[in-house]
Amino acid sequence: MEPFTPVIITVLSGKTRDGSLEIFDEIVLRAGDTVSVVGPTGSGKTAFINDIEVFACKDTVTGRTVLVNGRIPPDEMVRDPAKKPIALITQNTKCIADLTVKEFLEMHIRARRIPDDSRVGETIALANEFTGEKIAAPMHMTSLSGGQTRSLLIADAITISSAPIILLDEVESGGIFKETVISTLKANNKAVIFVTHDPFLALLSDRRIVMRNGAVERIIIPGGREKKIIHLVSSMDRVLFKIREEIRAGTLLDGGEDIS
Amino acid sequence: MKLLIFAGPPSAGKTAVIRQIIRQLTGEFTVAFLKIDVVQAFEDEELKKEFGIPAKKVYSGDICPDHTGILVLRDAISWAEDLGAGILIVESAGLCLRCTPYTTQSLGIVVLSAVSGTNSPLKMAPMIALADIAVVTKVDLISQAEKEVFREQVRDVAPRVDIIETNAVHGTGLRFLTMAIRNVPDILDPDAIVLRGMPPLAVCTICAGKKEIGWQNHFGILKTLDGADDLYRGE
């Protein structure tokens, strides 16, 4: 994986929908950071990560500016996705490419001018750690389920794009092992910014950005104060996961006693 | 006056891109707009209403819309120059992907949608290969990896075309297009404008390889910018 030189992203504040200034001066994102973006539907969560993805330069509806290593990024970085240190996994769970998984990954490897092609297998193997529905090289991209598509694109972001900053938009929807995804990204020293409605995922982040009315309303740094609730939600999440799998498998849940 | 020629398949987002261009450049330039279409078009009325700019449309009817565009282009340049326009934007019908409506002394822009399928750049290769800029729209609907794969397909067709990715509804990334437009030289001699590429063969003098713009330079079934009926010139 080609090391990008360390990348620090700085988001400078923009405006709320009413035209008043946002409450923060800047939000700084570094390698290893996990930041969740929460708030009601329509509050501007996706717009926030989109600003980062397009390197907003007061040219988006929010009026925010995004700096890379303290500066307006060079045009080349903004315009060529292969030179972008950011990978965005969108809410979209379908891939439109009319290619097989193998062809798609090979083409991406070619686009990145990476000489070694062992990464196709590597990427599929990693993706299969994120999803219970196995992905195979000859499958068509368009036939993958939502969970498979996202798993593959996240794996691709790690192994092929090697992007130091990963943006995830509601990754929890669709059969994906979200905890494994977040811990793998952390282990790879990625800066992860994710939009989420999932309480457990939100609690897993070091910082929570709360959105309202198109703007950042509050930035919460729990710093260990939420330990108790994390413990509780973690066990609840495990129970819910089990029940979900049982329901998917067609089980009648009349016992109840073995779920804990 | 600068000449911008937009091509691209229907629903790719040509008008959405043009709308952003007009929005960003309207203080600096008087923009005139011409839409070429087959049976119905609304873009001229929409843009006229939204921006108060001079806008016009021409229906090709039974003639090839791209050929119509070529025939009326010389008239359109005079029309826009008489209005004192600084930029003339011509939007093609976008039906035949084989045609390349770009001319010399203009900026040729192809608009294609990121969700149109991985092989779509190959299918409209002539339309992309002779363009100066390829604007890829709807990139908000695809992932990073898909963007790169799509870009690679465009690169295979046209290694040197300038690729600009955008969500045209929000206008992201289009500052690079407006920069390119500002740098386009004005038309030097409208009578010397010719097509960059050869249209496919059919039955008129354009088809036979005459690349001059303007009906005055052609024979057969012709079209003028303001003429209601088709015009025949020849033996």
Side-chain angles (χ1 to χ4, degrees):
Chain A
M1 289 165 217
E2 292 66 35
F4 272 93
T5 44
V7 173
I8 299 167
I9 297 283
T10 309
V11 182
L12 303 180
S13 63
K15 287 187 171 152
T16 68
R17 289 198 186 117
D18 318 324
S20 50
L21 292 173
E22 277 186 295
I23 51 104
F24 68 95
D25 290 326
E26 56 176 46
I27 295 174
V28 180
L29 307 160
R30 293 186 176 81
D33 285 358
T34 49
V35 179
S36 59
V37 184
V38 300
T41 305
S43 60
K45 300 187 294 297
T46 298
F48 183 82
I49 59 169
N50 279 343
D51 278 350
I52 300 175
E53 207 263 340
V54 303
F55 299 111
C57 183
K58 290 190 163 54
D59 60 343
T60 61
V61 281
T62 64
R64 294 192 191 106
T65 305
V66 173
L67 306 178
V68 178
N69 296 334
R71 272 183 231 155
I72 300 276
D75 284 0
E76 187 187 62
M77 188 187 283
V78 180
R79 299 188 53 183
D80 186 347
K83 301 213 165 87
K84 209 173 233 191
I86 293 176
L88 167 71
I89 314 295
T90 60
Q91 260 184 69
N92 220 7
T93 52
K94 274 290 168 199
C95 186
I96 48 85
D98 26 16
L99 299 167
T100 65
V101 169
K102 181 166 183 278
E103 286 166 342
F104 180 82
L105 295 176
E106 280 172 352
M107 206 151 167
H108 191 196
I109 289 167
R110 181 157 73 91
R112 286 274 171 161
R113 316 275 174 255
I114 299 169
D116 107 69
D117 58 3
S118 64
R119 290 191 198 187
V120 171
E122 215 177 289
T123 308
I124 295 172
L126 183 59
N128 281 329
E129 288 179 30
F130 300 151
T131 175
E133 321 154 69
K134 290 291 163 231
I135 303 166
M139 287 179 174
H140 277 271
M141 291 296 291
T142 46
S143 72
L144 299 183
S145 71
Q148 287 174 320
T149 306
R150 281 161 176 242
S151 299
L152 188 68
L153 293 173
I154 296 167
D156 172 290
I158 297 172
T159 55
I160 298 172
S161 302
S162 311
I165 295 147
I166 312 267
L167 309 174
L168 302 171
D169 199 352
E170 292 186 37
V171 73
E172 66 269 17
S173 50
I176 192 163
F177 305 142
K178 55 198 180 191
E179 235 184 308
T180 316
V181 169
I182 301 297
S183 62
T184 306
L185 291 171
K186 260 189 175 172
N188 280 281
N189 204 29
K190 305 292 185 191
V192 193
I193 300 112
F194 50 92
V195 169
T196 190
H197 290 291
D198 184 292
F200 185 42
L201 270 188
L203 289 167
L204 282 178
S205 60
D206 316 322
R207 259 183 291 174
R208 281 210 300 282
I209 295 178
V210 185
M211 304 297 301
R212 183 181 292 276
N213 194 23
V216 173
E217 191 193 45
R218 194 174 169 201
I219 300 167
I220 299 173
I221 304 174
R225 282 171 293 172
E226 291 179 327
K227 256 190 198 138
K228 254 192 198 161
I229 193 86
I230 291 173
H231 186 71
L232 175 67
V233 175
S234 164
S235 58
M236 285 164 77
D237 197 69
R238 265 197 302 278
V239 172
L240 274 175
F241 178 81
K242 263 193 193 167
I243 295 175
R244 193 180 297 119
E245 289 309 305
E246 291 289 338
I247 289 174
R248 275 150 62 121
T251 315
L252 174 69
L253 296 167
D254 55 349
E257 65 284 350
D258 55 343
I259 305 278
S260 63
Chain B
M1 184 181 74
K2 300 174 194 295
L3 175 60
L4 313 182
I5 299 180
F6 279 82
S11 321
K14 294 188 290 297
T15 313
V17 172
I18 289 169
R19 188 171 270 127
Q20 294 290 354
I21 295 306
I22 297 174
R23 188 168 293 141
Q24 291 185 30
L25 292 176
T26 210
E28 282 167 69
F29 300 93
T30 303
V31 182
F33 173 80
L34 171 68
K35 169 72 187 176
I36 295 147
D37 221 315
V38 184
V39 285
Q40 283 275 297
F42 310 95
E43 292 83 352
D44 59 319
E45 286 152 40
E46 287 167 14
L47 295 178
K48 194 185 277 181
K49 208 163 131 193
E50 191 172 342
F51 299 104
I53 60 163
K56 217 174 171 55
K57 70 184 146 212
V58 54
Y59 291 140
S60 60
D62 294 332
I63 301 180
C64 159
D66 282 321
H67 286 196
T68 299
I70 299 160
L71 290 168
V72 305
L73 185 54
R74 185 64 189 84
D75 288 350
I77 291 170
S78 300
W79 164 72
E81 277 183 333
D82 289 348
L83 292 167
I87 294 178
L88 169 61
I89 297 177
V90 179
E91 180 182 341
S92 82
L95 298 176
C96 171
L97 308 175
R98 167 66 183 78
C99 267
T100 53
Y102 322 112
T103 65
T104 56
Q105 303 186 52
S106 75
L107 187 69
I109 301 155
V110 63
V111 179
L112 54 166
S113 149
V115 294
S116 59
T118 317
N119 291 325
S120 68
L122 304 176
K123 292 180 186 170
M124 39 188 168
M127 203 183 239
I128 299 171
L130 292 182
D132 300 299
I133 295 176
V135 177
V136 179
T137 57
K138 307 182 193 179
V139 290
D140 52 312
L141 298 180
I142 62 168
S143 66
Q144 168 81 16
E146 286 174 278
K147 269 181 224 173
E148 289 177 42
V149 167
F150 194 80
R151 187 175 253 262
E152 191 67 7
Q153 288 289 65
V154 175
R155 279 265 167 270
D156 277 351
V157 172
R160 275 177 299 279
V161 75
D162 195 9
I163 302 174
I164 295 172
E165 281 151 347
T166 184
N167 165 356
V169 176
H170 291 158
T172 51
L174 287 179
R175 62 181 188 267
F176 299 107
L177 182 57
T178 47
M179 260 159 54
I181 292 170
R182 283 194 190 97
N183 292 330
V184 176
D186 284 348
I187 294 172
L188 215 58
D189 176 6
D191 293 316
I193 295 177
V194 291
L195 288 176
R196 292 186 195 173
M198 205 66 85
L201 275 179
V203 288
C204 73
T205 41
I206 298 171
C207 321
K210 268 175 73 69
K211 290 160 90 176
E212 290 79 6
I213 64 161
W215 58 270
Q216 297 89 341
N217 292 306
H218 294 277
F219 298 96
I221 303 286
L222 305 176
K223 209 147 189 124
T224 62
L225 185 58
D226 294 311
D229 297 316
D230 297 342
L231 155 87
Y232 179 78
R233 223 157 71 101
E235 291 296 307

